[in-house]
Amino acid sequence: MPKFDFEVITLGHGSGGLLTQRLLQSGVFDILKNDKLDQQHDGAILDISGKIAISTDSYVISPLFFEGGNIGDLAINGTVNDLAMCGAMAKYLTLSFIIEEGLSMEDFWAILVSIKNAADHAGVEIVTGDTKVVEKGKGDKIFINTSGVGIVHPEAKIHHNRIGLGDKIILSGPIAAHGIAIMSHRKGLEFETTIASDTRNLNFVVADLLDNFGEKIHFLRDATRGGVASVLNEVAGITKLGYLLEQKSIKIDEQVEGACEMLGLDPLYVANEGVFLAIVSESIADDFVKKLHQNGFEDAAIVGEVNEEHPSKVIMKSKIGGRRVVNYLTGEQLPRIC
């Protein structure tokens, strides 16, 4: 961490004047350095050809720091993954901060380092951004917005209208780790655990899957806020098809499962930040899972199928053979989870 001549961020650092320049020049531009950001402009000119995808998201997570990450890498991975779920490889991101007066430079620097590392790992450049500071009590330390642009894979034809009867539902890994990792650090609810957030970039594995299986991948979605249940209910409602899940095939870490039971949470609704759902042609499902295993997603598995029973509904077949409807989440199970 470089030496700063101020320990906390003040309203003046968002004024656009001298203090803003001191904040930006004290390390922000240097750590995120690239030829486009070096222009220090409010916008960026990009040279892109072909079909592109664009996405934006805002991050208001509390607490800022948690086991496995912080708001910085979450903001990068989140937008990179939203583009990946469109079948696109993220190329450029914008980065905007809304900072509450009084945020320590130590915390701000730790978040910047995390942003830098996550961007490098995902192979994306931060090309422009913005910084605003609000009065103490008008925010919660820091909020981040990222927008991204990515190039769509030539073989990607990902759309809910391509989901068909007999398609297999595949989960890339164990669910609910991110939500429980955050809950374990929530003020008033802390409990000891080694559970870490699963935040990670998914762009490279999705590109490899598209290289190998192309248009036989019908649908992709990362199961973030609202979890697996919300994603499947959304597509069930749109496609009017039935979605049958096999509980025994859905992987959940033992600690995560125990924490969910303790907190009265259904893991199907708990947020993930590095797990995605794929709905693919039955003909490639086994090979698709093998490819995920080869990419380090050892717990990937086929967890269900699309059928004509119970149209527009998600049904779970329990480990003992019973069946229940998995409805939409009602209310907010875990506020400010991302």
Side-chain angles (χ1 to χ4, degrees):
M1 177 175 167
K3 185 174 178 56
F4 301 103
D5 58 1
F6 47 92
E7 294 184 353
V8 299
I9 293 176
T10 66
L11 278 177
H13 289 114
S15 67
L18 180 61
L19 286 177
T20 301
Q21 280 305 304
R22 283 184 179 174
L23 173 63
L24 297 176
Q25 300 294 347
S26 65
V28 176
F29 283 135
D30 283 342
I31 194 171
L32 301 177
K33 186 177 180 61
N34 60 64
D35 60 345
K36 299 168 188 66
L37 193 64
D38 288 349
Q39 301 297 314
Q40 299 183 21
H41 198 285
D42 287 340
I45 298 171
L46 309 174
D47 186 7
I48 300 177
S49 61
K51 187 184 289 186
I52 65 167
I54 185 168
S55 183
T56 188
D57 208 345
S58 298
Y59 300 85
V60 298
I61 192 166
S62 175
L64 299 179
F65 297 89
F66 46 85
E67 197 69 31
N70 65 48
I71 191 171
D73 50 30
L74 194 71
I76 300 301
N77 291 336
T79 296
V80 166
N81 292 346
D82 285 344
L83 291 169
M85 297 303 109
C86 298
M89 180 67 79
K91 290 279 290 180
Y92 305 111
L93 296 186
T94 69
L95 174 68
S96 295
F97 298 112
I98 298 175
I99 303 171
E100 183 185 26
E101 180 185 21
L103 179 71
S104 73
M105 281 305 297
E106 184 178 359
D107 282 353
F108 186 56
W109 187 256
I111 291 166
L112 275 177
V113 170
S114 180
I115 286 170
K116 164 66 174 173
N117 291 338
D120 285 351
H121 200 242
V124 297
E125 290 183 316
I126 312 289
V127 295
T128 188
D130 187 44
T131 303
K132 296 288 193 305
V133 181
V134 298
E135 298 96 326
K136 198 168 185 59
K138 298 290 180 67
D140 191 1
K141 298 182 181 178
I142 188 169
F143 300 144
I144 299 177
N145 173 271
T146 50
S147 297
V149 176
I151 298 174
V152 178
H153 192 287
E155 300 299 320
K157 292 184 178 177
I158 296 165
H159 197 284
H160 59 77
N161 65 12
R162 299 194 65 244
I163 298 172
L165 294 174
D167 281 358
K168 297 296 183 183
I169 304 167
I170 293 168
L171 259 177
S172 68
I175 62 171
H178 176 73
I180 296 303
I182 301 306
M183 292 299 288
S184 69
H185 287 271
R186 279 278 166 86
K187 190 174 181 179
L189 196 64
E190 295 97 335
F191 55 90
E192 288 189 12
T193 177
T194 58
I195 299 167
S197 168
D198 57 6
T199 178
R200 65 194 295 185
N201 61 297
L202 299 169
N203 51 335
F204 293 116
V205 65
V206 169
D208 190 34
L209 292 166
L210 285 166
D211 285 343
N212 283 276
F213 305 110
E215 62 182 51
K216 291 187 177 178
I217 302 172
H218 297 161
F219 182 80
L220 295 170
R221 183 70 60 82
D222 48 346
T224 55
R225 188 175 45 174
V228 171
S230 295
V231 172
L232 287 179
N233 269 286
E234 185 179 329
V235 292
I238 295 172
T239 61
K240 312 298 183 191
L241 297 172
Y243 294 75
L244 176 65
L245 290 175
E246 295 274 356
Q247 185 181 24
K248 65 182 180 184
S249 301
I250 298 173
K251 306 289 177 57
I252 307 175
D253 175 88
E254 192 174 330
Q255 282 194 73
V256 171
E257 192 168 22
C260 284
E261 288 178 6
M262 182 180 72
L263 297 169
L265 301 174
D266 184 336
L268 284 177
Y269 296 92
V270 178
N272 311 275
E273 287 293 338
V275 173
F276 66 97
L277 272 164
I279 301 177
V280 307
S281 168
E282 182 181 10
S283 64
I284 65 159
D286 290 336
D287 290 336
F288 188 95
V289 171
K290 287 177 186 173
K291 182 58 71 176
L292 277 168
H293 293 169
Q294 291 168 9
N295 276 276
F297 292 75
E298 297 88 355
D299 292 313
I302 299 170
V303 299
E305 66 178 12
V306 182
N307 60 32
E308 54 190 352
E309 299 177 33
H310 310 290
S312 302
K313 292 188 183 303
V314 181
I315 304 294
M316 169 83 89
K317 184 179 178 183
S318 74
K319 293 176 182 175
I320 59 173
R323 296 191 177 206
R324 69 176 174 92
V325 176
V326 179
N327 287 313
Y328 257 122
L329 177 66
T330 57
E332 182 64 90
Q333 187 185 53
L334 299 171
R336 297 185 59 186
I337 204 72
C338 59

